Amino acid sequence: MSATAGRVVVVGIGADGFAGLSETIRSTVLAADAVLGGARQLALLPDAPGQERHPWPSPLRAGLPALLAELTGRTVVALASGDPLLSGVGATLIDLLGADAVTVLPAVSSVSLARARLGWPAETTAVVRAGDVHAVLRELAPGRRVLVLSADETTPALLAVLLVERGYGASAMSVLGDLGGDDETRWDGTAATYPTFEGPAPRLNIVALELAGPLATGWVPGLPDQAFEHDGQLTKRDLRAAALARLTPVPGQLLWDVGAGAGSVGIEWLRAHPSCRAIAVEGNPERAQRITRNAANLGVPALQVVTGHAPTALTDLPAPDAVFIGGGLTTPGTLDACLQALKPGGRLVAHGVTLQTEAVLAQAYTEHGGELTRIHVEHAAPLGTFTGWTPARAVTQWAFTVPGARP
């Protein structure tokens, strides 16, 4: 295969380097007008007179369009590690250029090699990319197998510390370095015994975990309220579960959590599936910082937090598939802005506890229809020497789906 003008050929390289590629793929790389890649990958290539070589821009996604524009009309090869479509640059290039403009030639991925070394079937193994090691916290459950794609040589130690802090120090832990190469290494032990005193792991490594620890959280909406750091501005457990049931988290879709408070609805949306996306909008800077901490502590550090008040803060956000409004309903324009932003088939859920917010929701129900519900929750609590019911404030919930098929 040869690189074609107007296309980008993405070549996966394993730990065995350039020499491990087939003769045809080596010829494709050396015949290209320009080669893109990481510094380590570019250093693996032999000289090719007249060929341009460009390291990836930083930040990658923001800098790629300009670099690709410079190379218009030339044959371009991009180098990637292993399978370029496994949390790799291949997916980024397809997003930018379209699938018709990108050819992917994968190598065996580090995930496949790790599973082969461990004897773990794909259907029993979760895969986490550790740009932030807190992402592994979403997977915490006794007996769960997880492969963590390390950011660099420091990831195993950071993971070990985090697991010990969460009561998962007994988890079996294997650090597999330079998989598929001549210098392949393996360390086996537990998170509690990870040998930080021996120095860092190989820079190219993947961490395998068989988790052992307490069952703290699941993926069904309705985490305990104490799982969140908050100042009282929190959508409580039963109401949160009711809201998420109507918001209907769907893989790949985007939620706006408006007036986010502690960020609980956006966080639980993200926990529903690894590909879910969410933006929390909160006007109080202290609460916005708290949302970021909650997201990391509950395994979804990718939650985007926007500090600002609706509707102004919503102006430049990408269109959502679902919106939850937990605060700010009485601010003129907020509800209308959210409704107008939703795609066909989009879902909106709003909560109100005051007469003023109830009036807004009643008017919305009159104009648009949907589902209007009052939710009363009571909890058993001591009453003298007996036990009685303590009611929380009633919450009015309006749920609405925009007409039209879901995208």
Side-chain angles (χ1 to χ4, degrees):
M1 177 179 291
S2 62
T4 304
R7 298 183 63 86
V8 174
V9 178
V10 187
V11 173
I13 295 182
D16 49 0
F18 184 74
L21 301 175
S22 71
E23 182 177 348
T24 300
I25 295 178
R26 291 200 302 269
S27 297
T28 296
V29 174
L30 296 178
D33 295 325
V35 178
L36 316 179
R40 180 187 65 83
Q41 293 154 343
L42 293 174
L44 298 173
L45 303 183
D47 290 337
Q51 185 179 76
E52 296 180 26
R53 293 178 179 173
H54 300 273
W56 295 120
S58 181
L60 177 66
R61 193 177 184 93
L64 263 180
L67 177 57
L68 293 172
E70 290 178 16
L71 301 175
T72 299
R74 298 181 231 182
T75 57
V76 178
V77 165
L79 304 180
S81 296
D83 182 351
L85 293 178
L86 182 64
S87 299
V89 73
T92 302
L93 288 167
I94 289 173
D95 284 345
L96 290 172
L97 302 174
D100 292 341
V102 180
T103 298
V104 179
L105 305 176
V108 177
S109 71
S110 59
V111 168
S112 295
L113 289 170
R115 288 193 291 99
R117 302 292 187 269
L118 298 160
W120 290 3
E123 62 270 19
T124 68
T125 309
V127 179
V128 172
R129 186 176 180 85
D132 184 328
V133 293
H134 288 87
V136 81
L137 298 180
R138 178 186 177 274
E139 306 297 331
L140 292 189
R144 187 154 175 77
R145 289 173 169 173
V146 182
L147 292 177
V148 182
L149 304 178
S150 294
D152 54 33
E153 66 275 16
T154 66
T155 299
L158 294 173
L159 270 175
V161 170
L162 188 60
L163 291 169
V164 170
E165 288 176 350
R166 297 306 175 98
Y168 275 75
S171 299
M173 179 172 171
S174 298
V175 181
L176 309 171
D178 296 312
L179 282 168
D182 294 335
D183 299 324
E184 184 173 316
T185 62
R186 176 170 176 171
W187 177 89
D188 296 299
T190 66
T193 61
Y194 182 73
T196 53
F197 56 86
E198 291 184 5
R203 183 169 182 80
L204 296 178
N205 74 84
I206 188 167
V207 181
L209 301 170
E210 284 194 279
L211 295 170
L215 177 60
T217 59
W219 295 333
V220 174
L223 292 177
D225 292 344
Q226 58 267 31
F228 300 91
E229 179 188 349
H230 64 91
D231 60 359
Q233 293 299 310
L234 172 75
T235 301
K236 301 299 192 295
R237 182 180 198 172
D238 300 288
L239 298 167
R240 192 183 331 123
L244 283 155
R246 292 162 174 82
L247 290 166
T248 319
V250 174
Q253 292 199 345
L254 172 66
L255 170 80
W256 287 358
D257 184 359
V258 179
S264 60
V265 172
I267 287 168
E268 293 229 44
W269 171 280
L270 288 175
R271 286 177 58 85
H273 192 272
S275 69
C276 285
R277 298 169 295 135
I279 300 172
V281 180
E282 173 54 52
N284 183 303
E286 185 176 347
R287 288 176 185 158
Q289 293 175 5
R290 189 179 292 121
I291 291 170
T292 298
R293 294 195 297 271
N294 280 331
N297 287 334
L298 289 165
V300 287
L303 175 64
Q304 181 182 345
V305 181
V306 173
T307 304
H309 295 278
T312 306
L314 308 177
T315 303
D316 296 322
L317 301 184
D321 301 284
V323 175
F324 176 72
I325 307 176
L329 266 174
T330 56
T331 302
T334 293
L335 182 57
D336 287 342
C338 292
L339 286 170
Q340 291 168 12
L342 279 167
K343 302 173 183 177
R347 292 83 66 200
L348 183 143
V349 174
H351 284 181
V353 296
T354 66
L355 291 173
Q356 289 76 17
T357 54
E358 283 190 343
V360 172
L361 296 180
Q363 181 63 34
Y365 176 69
T366 299
E367 292 181 7
H368 302 285
E371 179 186 10
L372 191 65
T373 308
R374 288 200 83 197
I375 302 174
H376 300 257
V377 178
E378 299 183 12
H379 294 280
L383 184 63
T385 58
F386 297 93
T387 302
W389 293 106
T390 300
R393 289 182 182 272
V395 173
T396 299
Q397 179 187 82
W398 181 54
F400 175 71
T401 300
V402 177
R406 291 184 185 175

